[in-house]
Amino acid sequence: MDLTQKTQENVEYMIEAIKNKLRMATGAAMQSSAFSVERYDDILEVYEIVMSKERLSISEVEALATELGQLRGK
C-alpha cells in the first residue's frame, strides 16, 4: 500500500488498520468510509503513531479513539 497517495482507498485502509490494532469494541460503528481524504494528513499521523507501538495503554487507546471521532466526517 502506497500511503504517500492521498486517496479514499488509503484512508479506509488506515482506518481499518487502526481499528484492528486498537481492537476497538466499537469498531463496527466507526465506518472507514466516514473519513474524508481532506483529513488525510491527520489520519496518517494517527496511523503512524498506532503502528509504531507494540502495545497501547488503555488511556492511549481512549485518546486515539477520541481523536478518530474528531476526524470522522460530520
Side-chain angles (χ1 to χ4, degrees):
M1 183 68 52
D2 180 8
L3 296 180
T4 61
Q5 302 298 316
K6 294 182 180 183
T7 66
Q8 187 64 34
E9 180 182 1
N10 283 349
V11 167
E12 293 177 13
Y13 170 82
M14 289 188 290
I15 295 300
E16 290 302 318
I18 291 167
K19 287 184 344 188
N20 289 335
K21 180 83 174 200
L22 298 182
R23 296 185 189 107
M24 293 178 66
T26 59
M30 191 170 291
Q31 297 293 326
S32 56
S33 59
F35 293 84
S36 171
V37 172
E38 294 172 6
R39 304 303 302 265
Y40 190 89
D41 293 328
D42 296 321
I43 295 167
L44 180 60
E45 184 177 344
V46 172
Y47 172 82
E48 289 173 342
I49 290 168
V50 170
M51 295 304 147
S52 71
K53 296 182 175 271
E54 187 173 323
R55 295 177 190 240
L56 296 158
S57 69
I58 292 171
S59 61
E60 287 174 315
V61 171
E62 289 174 351
L64 290 164
T66 298
E67 182 67 21
L68 286 173
Q70 293 172 351
L71 294 175
R72 190 171 34 182
K74 296 186 171 36

